[in-house]
Amino acid sequence: MPFLEIIFNILVIGLFVVYWTVAFIILYHLTRFGIGIQPKRFAAIFMLGSLVLSSVAIILFTKLEISAFLTQMSQ
Amino acid sequence: MIRSLFSIFRESTNSFEGQKDDENIVLLLRRHPFTIYIRIGFYVLASLVPIVAGVMFYSYLSIHGRFDVFFFLSSIWYLGLWLAVFHSLTLYTLNTVLITDRRIIDSDQHGLFNRETSELHSNRIQDVSTHTNGMIETFLQFGDVTVQTAASEKQFVFHQVPRPDKVKDVIMQMTASKHTGVKAVVQ
């Protein structure tokens, strides 16, 4: 696996880790400090949306032909 | 079982951390939804960026067969946008003013790790005033409520709360009942 491809994969994995860390913080704040129904609803919607969007992003990432793209870019 | 699990999204007792046993919440205030609609509007516009980019670079993408990269980058964009939307909604939701039958608790969430909580007991309230500024605030009925305590202490300002006149009346009723000992009836 070429060096650039490894860097790209690490960057994408790092991006997902950052995303889910911030998502956890938001979910924690909404459920821990939120008063009333509204924060719980927001937390549920956010969780559901995050799961769907992350799944879509992961599927698209697996279908990505990054080596071909990087070769094309370098030419 | 499932019914009771989902009941937290339908009914809640509005309880909060540090609530006394016989303390009742009279009003739970947040900023007027209009303030968050403006931000949401900006995010809606930002969500159009990949669509516009896709239309603009359609020929380039189809010639080079790089739709996989485009769709992946778009999904990352929408993930970031989703996070930004709920970051704003979290700050909006956690910015609250709680008026109980004993005190007023003003919680200002400036950032996820930047929170300021102020508390004011009903018997220290001296004066309450409202300020509605501009056409939008007048039509949508929201504005600032200022609660003045003893002269040497700071003012409490609740920004852009809905129906400030009603809030003022409730606070005045709570203060009066605290001084007279007669329980206030909030409508």
Side-chain angles (χ1 to χ4, degrees), chain B residues 17-53:
Chain B
E17 201 174 359
Q19 187 174 9
K20 307 282 187 297
D21 290 336
D22 56 344
E23 189 174 18
N24 300 310
I25 295 176
V26 180
L27 269 182
L28 168 63
L29 299 171
R30 291 190 175 94
R31 286 185 183 221
H32 193 277
F34 178 77
T35 56
I36 195 72
Y37 291 158
I38 295 168
R39 274 176 181 268
I40 300 291
F42 169 75
Y43 293 130
V44 169
L45 283 177
S47 72
L48 299 176
V49 169
I51 298 166
V52 173

Short mmCIF file of all heavy atoms in Angstrom, two decimals, chain B residues 17-53:
data_model
loop_
_atom_site.label_atom_id
_atom_site.label_comp_id
_atom_site.label_asym_id
_atom_site.label_seq_id
_atom_site.Cartn_x
_atom_site.Cartn_y
_atom_site.Cartn_z
N GLU B 17 -30.69 19.40 38.56
CA GLU B 17 -29.69 19.09 39.56
C GLU B 17 -29.73 20.14 40.68
O GLU B 17 -29.77 21.35 40.42
CB GLU B 17 -28.31 19.09 38.92
CG GLU B 17 -27.28 18.33 39.69
CD GLU B 17 -25.96 18.23 38.94
OE1 GLU B 17 -25.87 18.74 37.81
OE2 GLU B 17 -25.04 17.64 39.50
N GLY B 18 -29.76 19.71 41.91
CA GLY B 18 -29.76 20.64 43.04
C GLY B 18 -31.14 21.10 43.45
O GLY B 18 -31.28 22.03 44.25
N GLN B 19 -32.18 20.46 42.88
CA GLN B 19 -33.56 20.84 43.21
C GLN B 19 -33.91 20.39 44.63
O GLN B 19 -33.62 19.25 45.01
CB GLN B 19 -34.52 20.20 42.20
CG GLN B 19 -35.95 20.67 42.35
CD GLN B 19 -36.85 20.12 41.25
OE1 GLN B 19 -36.43 19.25 40.48
NE2 GLN B 19 -38.06 20.61 41.18
N LYS B 20 -34.51 21.29 45.39
CA LYS B 20 -34.90 20.95 46.76
C LYS B 20 -36.16 20.06 46.71
O LYS B 20 -36.88 20.06 45.70
CB LYS B 20 -35.20 22.22 47.56
CG LYS B 20 -34.07 23.25 47.54
CD LYS B 20 -32.97 22.88 48.49
CE LYS B 20 -31.92 23.97 48.62
NZ LYS B 20 -31.17 24.32 47.42
N ASP B 21 -36.41 19.35 47.79
CA ASP B 21 -37.53 18.40 47.82
C ASP B 21 -38.89 19.04 47.51
O ASP B 21 -39.69 18.49 46.77
CB ASP B 21 -37.58 17.70 49.19
CG ASP B 21 -36.39 16.75 49.35
OD1 ASP B 21 -35.86 16.31 48.31
OD2 ASP B 21 -35.99 16.48 50.50
N ASP B 22 -39.14 20.17 48.13
CA ASP B 22 -40.45 20.81 47.94
C ASP B 22 -40.38 22.02 47.00
O ASP B 22 -41.21 22.91 47.06
CB ASP B 22 -41.03 21.21 49.30
CG ASP B 22 -40.07 22.11 50.06
OD1 ASP B 22 -38.88 22.15 49.67
OD2 ASP B 22 -40.49 22.79 51.03
N GLU B 23 -39.41 22.02 46.14
CA GLU B 23 -39.24 23.14 45.20
C GLU B 23 -39.94 22.81 43.87
O GLU B 23 -39.71 21.75 43.30
CB GLU B 23 -37.74 23.39 44.97
CG GLU B 23 -37.46 24.64 44.18
CD GLU B 23 -35.97 24.94 44.09
OE1 GLU B 23 -35.16 24.03 44.33
OE2 GLU B 23 -35.63 26.10 43.76
N ASN B 24 -40.76 23.72 43.42
CA ASN B 24 -41.50 23.49 42.17
C ASN B 24 -41.06 24.48 41.09
O ASN B 24 -40.87 25.67 41.37
CB ASN B 24 -43.01 23.67 42.41
CG ASN B 24 -43.51 22.68 43.44
OD1 ASN B 24 -43.27 21.48 43.35
ND2 ASN B 24 -44.19 23.20 44.46
N ILE B 25 -40.95 23.96 39.88
CA ILE B 25 -40.58 24.84 38.76
C ILE B 25 -41.83 25.54 38.26
O ILE B 25 -42.85 24.91 37.94
CB ILE B 25 -39.92 24.03 37.62
CG1 ILE B 25 -38.59 23.47 38.10
CG2 ILE B 25 -39.71 24.91 36.41
CD1 ILE B 25 -37.90 22.57 37.12
N VAL B 26 -41.76 26.87 38.21
CA VAL B 26 -42.89 27.66 37.73
C VAL B 26 -42.75 27.90 36.24
O VAL B 26 -43.70 27.77 35.48
CB VAL B 26 -42.95 29.01 38.50
CG1 VAL B 26 -44.12 29.84 38.02
CG2 VAL B 26 -43.06 28.76 40.00
N LEU B 27 -41.56 28.27 35.81
CA LEU B 27 -41.31 28.53 34.38
C LEU B 27 -39.95 28.01 33.97
O LEU B 27 -38.98 28.15 34.72
CB LEU B 27 -41.35 30.04 34.11
CG LEU B 27 -42.66 30.72 33.71
CD1 LEU B 27 -42.39 32.20 33.45
CD2 LEU B 27 -43.28 30.09 32.50
N LEU B 28 -39.90 27.42 32.81
CA LEU B 28 -38.62 27.04 32.21
C LEU B 28 -38.49 27.85 30.93
O LEU B 28 -39.31 27.70 30.01
CB LEU B 28 -38.60 25.53 31.90
CG LEU B 28 -37.46 25.02 31.02
CD1 LEU B 28 -36.10 25.24 31.68
CD2 LEU B 28 -37.63 23.54 30.72
N LEU B 29 -37.50 28.71 30.89
CA LEU B 29 -37.36 29.62 29.75
C LEU B 29 -36.12 29.31 28.93
O LEU B 29 -35.07 29.01 29.48
CB LEU B 29 -37.26 31.07 30.23
CG LEU B 29 -38.43 31.64 31.00
CD1 LEU B 29 -38.03 32.99 31.57
CD2 LEU B 29 -39.63 31.79 30.11
N ARG B 30 -36.30 29.40 27.63
CA ARG B 30 -35.17 29.37 26.71
C ARG B 30 -35.31 30.56 25.79
O ARG B 30 -36.37 31.18 25.76
CB ARG B 30 -35.18 28.07 25.88
CG ARG B 30 -34.87 26.85 26.70
CD ARG B 30 -34.65 25.63 25.82
NE ARG B 30 -34.24 24.51 26.64
CZ ARG B 30 -35.08 23.60 27.11
NH1 ARG B 30 -36.37 23.67 26.83
NH2 ARG B 30 -34.65 22.61 27.86
N ARG B 31 -34.26 30.86 25.04
CA ARG B 31 -34.37 31.95 24.08
C ARG B 31 -35.47 31.64 23.08
O ARG B 31 -35.80 30.47 22.84
CB ARG B 31 -33.05 32.14 23.35
CG ARG B 31 -32.02 32.79 24.23
CD ARG B 31 -30.76 33.07 23.47
NE ARG B 31 -29.78 33.65 24.39
CZ ARG B 31 -28.98 34.65 24.09
NH1 ARG B 31 -29.02 35.20 22.91
NH2 ARG B 31 -28.11 35.11 24.96
N HIS B 32 -36.02 32.68 22.47
CA HIS B 32 -37.06 32.49 21.47
C HIS B 32 -36.52 31.62 20.31
O HIS B 32 -35.37 31.82 19.90
CB HIS B 32 -37.52 33.84 20.94
CG HIS B 32 -38.78 33.77 20.15
ND1 HIS B 32 -38.80 33.43 18.82
CD2 HIS B 32 -40.08 33.95 20.51
CE1 HIS B 32 -40.05 33.43 18.38
NE2 HIS B 32 -40.85 33.75 19.39
N PRO B 33 -37.31 30.67 19.80
CA PRO B 33 -36.82 29.80 18.72
C PRO B 33 -36.31 30.55 17.50
O PRO B 33 -35.48 30.03 16.75
CB PRO B 33 -38.05 28.96 18.34
CG PRO B 33 -38.91 28.99 19.55
CD PRO B 33 -38.65 30.29 20.24
N PHE B 34 -36.77 31.78 17.31
CA PHE B 34 -36.32 32.58 16.16
C PHE B 34 -34.80 32.69 16.13
O PHE B 34 -34.19 32.67 15.06
CB PHE B 34 -36.95 33.98 16.22
CG PHE B 34 -36.52 34.89 15.11
CD1 PHE B 34 -37.05 34.75 13.83
CD2 PHE B 34 -35.58 35.89 15.33
CE1 PHE B 34 -36.64 35.58 12.80
CE2 PHE B 34 -35.16 36.72 14.31
CZ PHE B 34 -35.70 36.57 13.04
N THR B 35 -34.19 32.80 17.31
CA THR B 35 -32.73 32.97 17.39
C THR B 35 -32.00 31.74 16.84
O THR B 35 -30.91 31.87 16.27
CB THR B 35 -32.28 33.21 18.84
OG1 THR B 35 -32.76 32.14 19.65
CG2 THR B 35 -32.81 34.52 19.39
N ILE B 36 -32.59 30.58 17.02
CA ILE B 36 -31.94 29.37 16.50
C ILE B 36 -32.34 29.11 15.04
O ILE B 36 -31.56 28.52 14.29
CB ILE B 36 -32.23 28.13 17.41
CG1 ILE B 36 -31.27 26.96 17.11
CG2 ILE B 36 -33.65 27.65 17.34
CD1 ILE B 36 -29.87 27.18 17.57
N TYR B 37 -33.51 29.60 14.63
CA TYR B 37 -33.93 29.44 13.23
C TYR B 37 -32.95 30.11 12.28
O TYR B 37 -32.71 29.62 11.18
CB TYR B 37 -35.34 30.01 13.00
CG TYR B 37 -36.45 29.24 13.68
CD1 TYR B 37 -37.69 29.83 13.95
CD2 TYR B 37 -36.29 27.89 14.03
CE1 TYR B 37 -38.71 29.13 14.57
CE2 TYR B 37 -37.30 27.19 14.65
CZ TYR B 37 -38.51 27.82 14.92
OH TYR B 37 -39.52 27.12 15.53
N ILE B 38 -32.39 31.24 12.72
CA ILE B 38 -31.43 31.96 11.86
C ILE B 38 -30.20 31.08 11.60
O ILE B 38 -29.75 30.94 10.46
CB ILE B 38 -30.99 33.29 12.52
CG1 ILE B 38 -32.20 34.22 12.62
CG2 ILE B 38 -29.88 33.97 11.74
CD1 ILE B 38 -31.98 35.44 13.48
N ARG B 39 -29.70 30.46 12.67
CA ARG B 39 -28.53 29.57 12.52
C ARG B 39 -28.88 28.36 11.66
O ARG B 39 -28.09 27.95 10.79
CB ARG B 39 -28.06 29.09 13.88
CG ARG B 39 -27.11 30.04 14.54
CD ARG B 39 -26.75 29.57 15.91
NE ARG B 39 -25.84 30.49 16.56
CZ ARG B 39 -24.52 30.40 16.51
NH1 ARG B 39 -23.95 29.42 15.85
NH2 ARG B 39 -23.76 31.27 17.13
N ILE B 40 -30.06 27.78 11.92
CA ILE B 40 -30.47 26.61 11.15
C ILE B 40 -30.57 26.98 9.66
O ILE B 40 -30.19 26.19 8.79
CB ILE B 40 -31.83 26.05 11.68
CG1 ILE B 40 -31.72 25.62 13.15
CG2 ILE B 40 -32.34 24.89 10.82
CD1 ILE B 40 -30.88 24.41 13.45
N GLY B 41 -31.07 28.18 9.39
CA GLY B 41 -31.18 28.67 8.01
C GLY B 41 -29.81 28.71 7.34
O GLY B 41 -29.67 28.30 6.18
N PHE B 42 -28.81 29.14 8.09
CA PHE B 42 -27.44 29.18 7.55
C PHE B 42 -26.96 27.76 7.23
O PHE B 42 -26.35 27.52 6.18
CB PHE B 42 -26.51 29.84 8.59
CG PHE B 42 -25.06 29.71 8.26
CD1 PHE B 42 -24.48 30.48 7.26
CD2 PHE B 42 -24.26 28.80 8.95
CE1 PHE B 42 -23.14 30.34 6.96
CE2 PHE B 42 -22.92 28.66 8.64
CZ PHE B 42 -22.35 29.44 7.64
N TYR B 43 -27.27 26.81 8.11
CA TYR B 43 -26.85 25.42 7.88
C TYR B 43 -27.59 24.80 6.69
O TYR B 43 -27.02 23.98 5.96
CB TYR B 43 -27.05 24.57 9.13
CG TYR B 43 -26.14 24.96 10.28
CD1 TYR B 43 -26.65 25.20 11.55
CD2 TYR B 43 -24.77 25.11 10.08
CE1 TYR B 43 -25.81 25.57 12.61
CE2 TYR B 43 -23.93 25.47 11.12
CZ TYR B 43 -24.45 25.70 12.38
OH TYR B 43 -23.62 26.07 13.40
N VAL B 44 -28.85 25.20 6.53
CA VAL B 44 -29.62 24.70 5.37
C VAL B 44 -28.95 25.18 4.08
O VAL B 44 -28.80 24.41 3.12
CB VAL B 44 -31.10 25.16 5.45
CG1 VAL B 44 -31.83 24.89 4.15
CG2 VAL B 44 -31.81 24.45 6.60
N LEU B 45 -28.52 26.45 4.09
CA LEU B 45 -27.80 26.99 2.92
C LEU B 45 -26.49 26.22 2.70
O LEU B 45 -26.14 25.89 1.57
CB LEU B 45 -27.50 28.47 3.11
CG LEU B 45 -28.65 29.45 2.89
CD1 LEU B 45 -28.21 30.87 3.19
CD2 LEU B 45 -29.18 29.36 1.47
N ALA B 46 -25.80 25.94 3.79
CA ALA B 46 -24.52 25.19 3.70
C ALA B 46 -24.74 23.78 3.17
O ALA B 46 -23.86 23.21 2.53
CB ALA B 46 -23.84 25.16 5.06
N SER B 47 -25.93 23.22 3.44
CA SER B 47 -26.21 21.86 2.97
C SER B 47 -26.37 21.80 1.44
O SER B 47 -26.33 20.74 0.84
CB SER B 47 -27.46 21.30 3.65
OG SER B 47 -28.60 21.95 3.13
N LEU B 48 -26.57 22.99 0.84
CA LEU B 48 -26.73 23.02 -0.62
C LEU B 48 -25.38 23.02 -1.35
O LEU B 48 -25.34 22.81 -2.56
CB LEU B 48 -27.53 24.26 -1.03
CG LEU B 48 -28.96 24.37 -0.48
CD1 LEU B 48 -29.57 25.69 -0.88
CD2 LEU B 48 -29.83 23.22 -0.96
N VAL B 49 -24.31 23.25 -0.60
CA VAL B 49 -22.97 23.36 -1.22
C VAL B 49 -22.60 22.13 -2.06
O VAL B 49 -22.22 22.28 -3.23
CB VAL B 49 -21.88 23.67 -0.15
CG1 VAL B 49 -20.48 23.52 -0.71
CG2 VAL B 49 -22.08 25.09 0.39
N PRO B 50 -22.71 20.88 -1.53
CA PRO B 50 -22.37 19.72 -2.36
C PRO B 50 -23.26 19.59 -3.60
O PRO B 50 -22.77 19.17 -4.66
CB PRO B 50 -22.59 18.53 -1.43
CG PRO B 50 -22.50 19.09 -0.07
CD PRO B 50 -23.08 20.46 -0.16
N ILE B 51 -24.53 19.97 -3.46
CA ILE B 51 -25.45 19.88 -4.62
C ILE B 51 -25.00 20.86 -5.70
O ILE B 51 -24.90 20.50 -6.88
CB ILE B 51 -26.91 20.15 -4.17
CG1 ILE B 51 -27.34 19.09 -3.15
CG2 ILE B 51 -27.85 20.16 -5.37
CD1 ILE B 51 -28.60 19.42 -2.39
N VAL B 52 -24.72 22.09 -5.28
CA VAL B 52 -24.26 23.12 -6.24
C VAL B 52 -22.92 22.70 -6.88
O VAL B 52 -22.75 22.78 -8.10
CB VAL B 52 -24.13 24.49 -5.53
CG1 VAL B 52 -23.49 25.54 -6.45
CG2 VAL B 52 -25.48 24.98 -5.04
N ALA B 53 -22.01 22.20 -6.03
CA ALA B 53 -20.70 21.75 -6.53
C ALA B 53 -20.87 20.59 -7.52
O ALA B 53 -20.19 20.53 -8.54
CB ALA B 53 -19.81 21.34 -5.36
#
